[in-house]
Amino acid sequence: MRSMNQIDYLRISLIDRCNFRCRYCMPEKADLEYILRQQLLTFEELLTLIQEVFIPVGFTKFRLTGGEPLLYPDVVKLVQVIASFPQTQDLAMTTNGFLLAGMAQDLYDAGLRRINISLDSLNPEIFDQIIGNPGRARWQQVWDGIQTAHRVGFSPLKLNVVVIPGVNDNEVLDLAALTIERQWHIRFIEFMPIGNAQLFGDQGWIPSAELRQRIRDRWGLMESQVCGNGPADVFQIPRAKGTLGFISQMSECFCDRCNRMRLSADGWLRPCLLNESNQIDLKTPLRTGVNLAKLREQVSQLLALKPEINFKQRESGTIGAYSRTMSQIGG
Ligand code: SAM
Ligand code: SF4
């Protein structure tokens, strides 16, 4: 029997490329190296890993992320296949929403029901600055994507907000207010120093507790009955239709309830977001024809090791230097 925090949730980064270049996610300078095409897992390799390795060792929840997952050429087909596996208990996606208006219905029809859309600002100009495309007027298209996803029936529909002091923290109340009349769920994420040393050094980060206080002062705040199974602490403005989640990986340690692993677009399995040790390469053995039972064994060993990896991370409490950016890890 597995421990309380059963590790059954895989975040799959489909692609490391993105049509945005968010300042908190990708390096400021043009020195980001994309994974070469031949290094990326093919559609078939990814499905083999899911079906023959991850599902048999107990993974039942999957999130498609990136880079930008909607740039992945076969994303609708992939959703359809993963949703059709009887073992799939949950399938979700995290997207920047830019291509969503045109794809939401197809994704829903393919079996996707849960979606997180990143929306860091309600101000189109600030939004363009954050996503690294000043003057490109992209906010409206993302907003249309959110509205379309809502109309199509995605539920829960969550909006992810990375809060950066002096950039968008003055919008926390406006963003929280979206949940009062709509059954939308905002996830405020503490800004992490991964791949963005300059911005992080200049701006710093704000603890979730401070954001909660601002919201409490304005409307009051209560713990929500709707609890996620993830790292968010979920609250609600009294009588609001939606909820407010706080992901506080900088100020709090939730390693003991971490139920996830991450698969990169080039086939590396990573047991911890904040810790680069113990990653395993699944693509090379897959390509060299290793017996799949051997891969299952390797992943099972990593699953068994994870509580210890979490414990070490919890003990050290440090955030180190990372060789990969968030766009490569998948958030
Ligand atoms: N492109 C998609 C998107 O933006 O939603 C999916 C990939 S993105 C890497 C996944 C999540 O990571 C997004 O919600 C994004 O806001 C978050 N993220 C990226 N960089 C971050 C950072 N430095 N600190 C905290 N969250 C970050
Ligand atoms: Fe792209 Fe998402 Fe990273 Fe922004 S947060 S650059 S949209 S991967």
Side-chain angles (χ1 to χ4, degrees), residues 160 187-190 208 231-233 245-250 254:
N160 287 2
R187 293 286 177 264
F188 290 112
I189 305 172
E190 287 177 350
S208 296
D233 296 312
F246 297 85
I247 303 185
S248 318
Q249 69 283 10
M250 296 290 288
F254 43 73

Side-chain angles (χ1 to χ4, degrees), residues 189-205:
I189 305 172
E190 287 177 350
F191 179 28
M192 294 174 61
I194 297 186
N196 51 33
Q198 170 109 38
L199 182 67
F200 190 86
D202 290 350
Q203 307 298 142
W205 59 283

